[in-house]
Amino acid sequence: MSDDRLIVAMDVPNVLEGLELANTLGDSVNFYKIGLGMLTGGGLALANELKQEHGKRIFLDMKFFDIGATVEAAVRGVAQFDLDFLTVHGDPHVVRAAREGAGGSNMKILAVTILTSLDRADLDASCVKAGAVADLVQERAGIALANGADGVIASPQEAALIRALPEAQGKLIVTPGVRPAGAALGDQKRVMTPAQAIANGADHVVVGRPIWQAANPKAAAQSILAELASS
């Protein structure tokens, strides 16, 4: 049985491998994330096929960032495909433009706070203002939600801080940087297990490589689903 709290990141190279993975996982997984890495490999076509022909939910992870008019136009274009989630950067002007572009569609606009592959040293290298990463994530989340985001993307380590914000009431928290116990971290730096992420207030956990790189992807997904069911 699937559980929509699990979103599988389909970070494979192209549509054919994406469809193969979806067929392998079958009814175990109902929610997929398709990101920039597959954009030139037919990612939008795959999103539409999984949504319209297979009845799956789709999180399009594009992380739009541009001037307001461009973001609004891009989001309006995506909204016509009846997808479920779309990411934009959490800057206020971007979130407001995305909200306008989404119009009356059911697509949820999720704001990126600070990527889960970054730590304080990375922020220093990018001239981001001083402060603990968790505090900056909470601040960015509050600003994004106040400007119309339907939810935020943040690591599970910050989920509880965000959930405590008044602005977060009724909003979504989606957490990448989720790794089952014992799994390789890869390029993620701020991680927790699926059960820990949900306990901290996340609505959805995003898991990619620990599933699609596994010798048995369906068994890997079912193990995570069992962990979520017992959390």
Side-chain angles (χ1 to χ4, degrees):
M1 183 178 295
S2 64
D3 182 336
D4 281 6
R5 290 180 297 176
L6 172 63
I7 301 176
V8 172
M10 195 171 272
D11 297 328
V12 294
N14 54 56
V15 169
L16 292 178
E17 292 191 35
L19 287 173
E20 182 180 355
L21 177 61
N23 288 332
T24 297
L25 296 176
D27 293 337
S28 297
V29 174
N30 190 52
F31 213 150
Y32 288 98
K33 180 177 85 73
I34 296 175
L36 281 172
M38 202 202 276
L39 186 61
T40 57
L44 191 54
L46 176 62
N48 285 325
E49 183 165 348
L50 289 175
K51 177 76 175 184
Q52 303 302 329
E53 297 183 24
H54 298 267
K56 304 297 184 181
R57 299 183 70 190
I58 299 296
F59 169 9
L60 195 64
D61 187 19
M62 294 290 106
K63 299 183 179 71
F64 286 148
F65 179 83
D66 212 308
I67 64 171
T70 300
V71 171
E72 182 180 340
V75 174
R76 184 176 295 113
V78 172
Q80 67 183 311
F81 296 110
D82 192 32
L83 304 180
D84 297 273
F85 294 171
L86 173 71
T87 50
V88 303
H89 277 270
D91 304 64
H93 81 278
V94 174
V95 175
R96 290 193 299 268
R99 181 73 273 144
E100 189 69 23
S105 73
N106 292 321
M107 184 175 68
K108 303 296 186 185
I109 299 299
L110 304 181
V112 176
T113 53
I114 294 175
L115 299 176
T116 53
S117 60
L118 303 180
D119 57 19
R120 184 63 251 181
D122 297 312
L123 300 185
D124 290 340
S126 298
C127 300
V128 175
K129 75 175 186 178
V133 173
D135 293 339
L136 296 180
V137 168
Q138 186 185 42
E139 182 179 2
R140 277 182 65 82
I143 291 170
L145 294 171
N147 279 276
D150 297 299
V152 295
I153 307 293
S155 95
Q157 293 184 9
E158 295 102 31
L161 288 173
I162 295 170
R163 185 55 71 200
L165 291 169
E167 297 91 342
Q169 184 174 357
K171 302 292 186 176
L172 295 167
I173 299 175
V174 179
T175 57
V178 173
R179 290 289 184 269
L185 298 185
D187 56 4
Q188 300 292 344
K189 295 179 180 178
R190 306 192 327 273
V191 303
M192 281 185 172
T193 67
Q196 288 171 330
I198 295 297
N200 272 10
D203 296 288
H204 299 274
V205 298
V206 180
V207 184
R209 282 164 287 190
I211 291 176
W212 64 263
Q213 286 185 343
N216 186 334
K218 188 171 186 177
Q222 289 174 333
S223 176
I224 293 171
L225 291 168
E227 180 179 336
L228 292 178
S230 63
S231 63

